[in-house]
Every structure is written in C-alpha cells, then in structure tokens.
C-alpha cells in the first residue's frame, strides 16, 4: 500500500507550499504574496541591480509600449470575441518587468519565478519573451534622453564630443550544439577552450558602456569581429576618433589611419638591450592603464548571470546582451551622470 501511494502521489505544485509540504521537510518555508514579492524586489537594489528610480523610469517608458504592442497582437489575429473580452491578466506589466529583471540578473528559472508570482510557467516564459525585446531596443544611455543603439551612433557621438573609446571583446559560455549539427565546432573558443559566443564591447574612458553587441561564434578572432561589424568603414568615412584596443586588434591601426591604438610592437625579438626592454615595458603599462576601464565595464555586464553563462537558446543571446547593456548603462548614468571631463 505504501508503494502504491508513493507511485500515485500527484506532482508537486506551487500551492503545496501554502497548504503544507507533502514530504514533511524539517524546515520552515515562508511564502510571500505577489504584492510582498514586488515590494521586496523594488526595495532591494541587489535583487535587480537597479535603483527604484531607474525601475520607475522603466515602467513609465516601457509600460505604454508593451500595452500598444499587446493590443496590436490582439487585433491582428482572427477573433471570435471582441478585443478586451475574456479573462484578465494575472501578471500585470510591473510584475512582468520585475520577473524579467530577476531572470536576467540572477538566472532564476521560469519555474521558480512562476512560483513566486503565483502564475503558470508558460506565463513567465511569454512575459520574458515580450519584455526582453523592449529592453534590447532601448540602447545604451549616455545622458537623459540620449542613447546609442548602433556603432554608427557611437562613432558619431565620439567625433562630436572628442572623447576616447575603449574596444574589447568578451566571451559568454553557451551550450554546445547537438551532435550531428552543422558547424558544431565553430562555437569552440581557442582562448577559453569551451563553447562560447563573443560580443564586442565599447566603453568611454570612465568605463561607461557605449555599445555592446555584434555577437559572433567563439572561434571568431577579435579583429575579424571588428572588421565584419563595419567599424573600419565607419572610421574611414566618419569623424576622427581615438579608440584604444588590446593586442588582439593589432593591424587595425594601419587600416584606420591610427585611429585604433594598440600596444607597441616589439622590435627586438631576441637579446633586446636593457634600455629598450624598460622603454617597451613602460609604454605597454601606460597603454594598459588607459584601457583597463573596459575590463571594469565588462565586469558590470558579467554581474548579470544571464551573461556569465547563457543557459537558453543561442539565437536569443544577442537580444539578451543588448537588454543587459541597456540596463547597465541606464544605472551607470543614474549613478554617475556624464560630465565634460575627458
């Protein structure tokens, strides 16, 4: 009888947390209401990585846009009922936004978020799929009402402001393609020896994000990614700007007329004189000291678990990268407004 009861036991549901744990676990579980969860997420910046002021701005900006697109979807499909008929949303837009932020920040699964907000898993999946594109389309915020969405916008902004940018690439670990899939090895990074997707990052001299995107498979070299993104053409036809880069971009300086600055070459391969060794080390250290800020900007991106390691579909990663970059830049601008310092 005990075996039969064990076999026929119904699957675990989120409501079981309220009415008692079916396996009598020896610890207490506190279940917050949706209102309590919403207040806890908004009140503590460590949950979303965003201040309450930035959250309020996101709600005011994206709420009407989400409602407009939702209504457009309802009108576009064949209907037997009038628009607005039927059941109401159990998950309002504020909760949809907060669920998406928690998912991006901490990598919380859809099942966990469904339990927190008291809805079905499919509702959370649909909510994240609707909110994430809205976040990705915002671009990087550099000033109130001013955003950069493309590399052309970045080059134009740098030319007008006379500022220096820092270029680098970062790798995000992804799932390995299934066996038998064409191009299965193209995601293997020669640097990290694991399956990854590479994304280009541009920051200013203070480490504030200006651009993040142009994703490529992990096997793509940094300089090839920069060339395929059209950066060389933008620098040739646009205003003169200075972009600092590491040794992975050696050769772009000659192709861009010195606009891309890389570490100095070594002229002596064997038995260099002591004076040259010291001069080369000082020049290399000075260049590294100027471009270290881009590593800080990348670290802010990797604080979001969705970019530390991506567990979802690889085709969704470019959108996720742009969404996180938009959120990080918005918070950076709110915390440290852009000044006129070089």
């Amino acid at each position: 009888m005990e075996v039969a009861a064990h076999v026929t036991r119904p699957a675990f549901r989120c409501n079981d947390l309220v009415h008692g744990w079916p396996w009598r676990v020896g610890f207490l579980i506190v279940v917050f209401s949706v209102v309590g969860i919403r207040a806890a997420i908004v009140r503590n910046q460590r949950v979303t990585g965003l201040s309450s002021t930035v959250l309020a701005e996101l709600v005011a900006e994206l709420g009407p846009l989400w409602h407009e697109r939702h209504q457009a979807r309802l009108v576009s499909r064949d209907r037997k009922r009038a628009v607005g008929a039927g059941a109401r949303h159990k998950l309002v837009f504020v909760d949809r936004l907060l669920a998406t932020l928690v998912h991006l920040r901490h990598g919380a699964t859809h099942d966990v978020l469904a339990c927190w907000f008291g809805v079905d898993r499919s509702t959370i999946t649909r909510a994240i799929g609707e909110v994430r594109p809205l976040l990705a389309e915002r671009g990087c915020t550099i000033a109130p009402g001013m955003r950069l969405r493309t590399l052309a916008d970045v080059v134009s902004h740098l030319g007008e402001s006379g500022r220096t940018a820092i270029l680098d690439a970062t790798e995000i670990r992804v799932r390995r393609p299934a066996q038998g899939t064409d191009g299965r090895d193209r995601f293997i990074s020669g640097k990290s020896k694991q399956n990854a997707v590479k994304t280009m990052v541009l920051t200013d001299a203070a480490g504030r994000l200006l651009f993040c995107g142009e994703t490529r498979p992990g096997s793509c070299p940094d300089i090839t990614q920069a060339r395929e993104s059209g950066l060389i053409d933008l620098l040739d036809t646009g205003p003169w700007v200075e972009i600092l880069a590491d040794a992975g971009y050696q050769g772009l300086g000659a192709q861009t007329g010195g606009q891309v600055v890389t570490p100095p070459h070594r002229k002596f391969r064997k038995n260099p004189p002591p004076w040259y060794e010291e001069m080369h080390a000082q020049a290399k250290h000075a260049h590294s000291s100027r471009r270290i800020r881009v590593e800080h900007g990348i670290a802010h991106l990797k604080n979001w678990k969705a970019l530390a390691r991506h567990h979802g579909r690889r085709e969704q990663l470019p959108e996720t990268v742009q969404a996180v970059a938009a959120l990080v830049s918005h918070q950076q601008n709110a915390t440290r407004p852009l000044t006129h310092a070089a």
Side-chain angles (χ1 to χ4, degrees), residues 41 50 76 85 94 102 125 130 154 169 188 213 243 259 264 286-288 314:
I41 294 176
L50 306 175
S76 63
V94 175
V102 174
T125 302
E130 293 172 354
V154 174
I188 299 179
I243 299 179
Q259 296 187 74
H287 181 81
S288 300
R314 290 183 301 276

Side-chain angles (χ1 to χ4, degrees), residues 4-224:
H6 176 74
V7 172
T8 59
R9 176 180 293 166
F12 171 71
R13 300 183 303 273
C14 296
N15 292 334
D16 293 336
L17 293 175
V18 180
H19 301 293
W21 188 267
W23 296 285
R24 301 184 182 277
V25 180
F27 57 88
L28 179 64
I29 298 178
V30 179
V31 180
F32 293 99
S33 64
V34 175
V35 177
I37 291 176
R38 182 191 306 162
I41 294 176
V42 173
R43 184 168 54 247
N44 195 337
Q45 185 173 340
R46 291 178 296 180
V47 179
T48 61
L50 306 175
S51 63
S52 57
T53 302
V54 173
L55 288 176
E57 294 174 357
L58 287 175
V59 172
E61 176 186 352
L62 301 182
L65 184 58
W66 173 84
H67 180 74
E68 178 182 349
R69 295 189 179 183
H70 178 67
Q71 293 298 318
R73 285 194 297 269
L74 294 179
V75 173
S76 63
R77 66 180 62 168
D78 294 334
R79 304 184 58 86
K80 295 182 179 180
R81 292 182 177 181
V83 175
R88 298 294 183 265
H89 284 300
K90 292 184 178 180
L91 199 66
V92 297
F93 173 76
V94 175
D95 295 335
R96 292 170 181 264
L97 176 62
L98 294 179
T100 303
L101 295 178
V102 174
H103 171 71
L104 295 176
R105 180 69 176 180
H106 297 284
T109 63
H110 297 187
D111 291 318
V112 171
L113 293 172
C115 289
W116 285 2
F117 289 94
V119 295
D120 191 75
R121 179 186 183 276
S122 60
T123 302
I124 295 295
T125 302
R126 183 166 53 252
I128 294 176
E130 293 172 354
V131 175
R132 185 175 52 213
L134 300 179
L135 296 173
E137 294 170 4
R138 300 176 69 244
C140 292
T141 303
I142 60 173
M146 186 176 183
R147 292 173 183 159
L148 306 177
R149 294 179 173 84
T150 62
L151 276 176
D153 295 340
V154 174
V155 173
S156 178
H157 167 71
L158 294 174
E160 295 175 357
S161 61
R163 297 179 181 273
T164 298
I166 311 175
L167 172 65
D168 203 354
T170 183
E171 294 181 350
I172 304 169
R173 190 173 178 182
V174 297
R175 293 178 177 178
R176 186 180 185 184
Q179 186 175 5
T181 305
D182 294 337
R184 190 186 187 200
D185 296 334
R186 66 192 182 101
F187 288 95
I188 299 179
S189 169
K191 179 179 180 180
S192 60
K193 309 300 181 183
Q194 58 188 2
N195 290 269
V197 169
K198 183 174 296 184
T199 183
M200 179 188 298
V201 180
L202 274 165
T203 68
D204 61 7
R208 296 182 179 88
L209 284 173
L210 301 178
F211 177 80
C212 187
E214 294 293 340
T215 56
R216 296 290 188 278
S219 60
C220 178
D222 295 354
I223 190 171
T224 302

